[in-house]
Amino acid sequence: MTRASARLGLKLVIRCRDFETAHGFYRDILELPVLEQWTEDAGKGCIFGFGETGDGGWLEIYEMTEEDPRYDLAYSRPMESDKIDLQLQTSSLDDWLERLADRWPFDGPETMPWGHRWIKFRDPDNLLIAIYEDLR
């Protein structure tokens, strides 16, 4: 195997409490394109892409039912800590300030000492999300 063939991609999976609410947030608020969607006895899911074709990575939301052998009651509760957060880089934070105004509450913007300008907010499962612009 050559180094080029060992390249990794990224897919983040969120086992959400409420599929419809999470789906609406990622589709309508973050405006991520839907790449795939399904419903089965074990649950409902959707894969969103970053970038128009998903070339920037994927985000899967999945509302698991008790039919799924991996089901855990914790998936029906909001996230309880910020051990994991989702950080999304943009070329224009000002565009996001306009897009989110009066649509979703956020904190910021704040310029960080290392040269990033951030806003922070939470998804319907209480996952901390930051959108930032690199000012350097």
Side-chain angles (χ1 to χ4, degrees):
M1 178 184 318
T2 66
R3 284 199 182 270
S5 66
R7 182 173 173 243
L8 296 173
L10 174 69
K11 179 173 85 167
L12 173 70
V13 179
I14 299 171
R15 290 174 181 86
C16 59
R17 294 181 293 163
D18 180 304
F19 177 81
E20 299 305 326
T21 302
H23 187 270
F25 173 81
Y26 288 101
R27 183 195 63 214
D28 300 335
I29 302 300
L30 289 188
E31 301 176 9
L32 297 177
V34 173
L35 303 179
E36 185 179 338
Q37 192 165 318
W38 65 92
T39 300
E40 57 192 15
D41 290 343
K44 294 187 240 182
C46 180
I47 297 175
F48 297 96
F50 291 99
E52 290 182 26
T53 61
D55 58 336
W58 304 281
L59 171 72
E60 177 181 327
I61 59 169
Y62 184 58
E63 181 183 7
M64 194 179 282
T65 70
E66 293 180 21
E67 298 292 320
D68 191 311
R70 302 167 298 162
Y71 178 80
D72 187 309
L73 186 58
Y75 301 154
S76 66
R77 294 191 298 266
M79 295 190 79
E80 297 176 0
S81 77
D82 292 337
K83 184 174 183 172
I84 296 174
D85 63 298
L86 180 60
Q87 298 182 6
L88 306 171
Q89 185 175 7
T90 183
S91 59
S92 175
L93 190 62
D94 288 333
D95 285 352
W96 279 98
L97 294 172
E98 287 181 32
R99 288 162 80 174
L100 293 175
D102 301 321
R103 294 181 69 207
W104 201 263
F106 61 88
D107 294 325
E110 179 180 358
T111 301
M112 308 308 271
W114 51 87
H116 290 174
R117 189 167 161 241
W118 295 70
I119 57 173
K120 294 181 181 180
F121 50 96
R122 297 197 178 267
D123 84 344
D125 280 279
N126 203 40
L127 175 66
L128 180 62
I129 299 175
I131 298 179
Y132 72 94
E133 179 180 11
D134 189 340
L135 301 174
R136 298 173 289 170

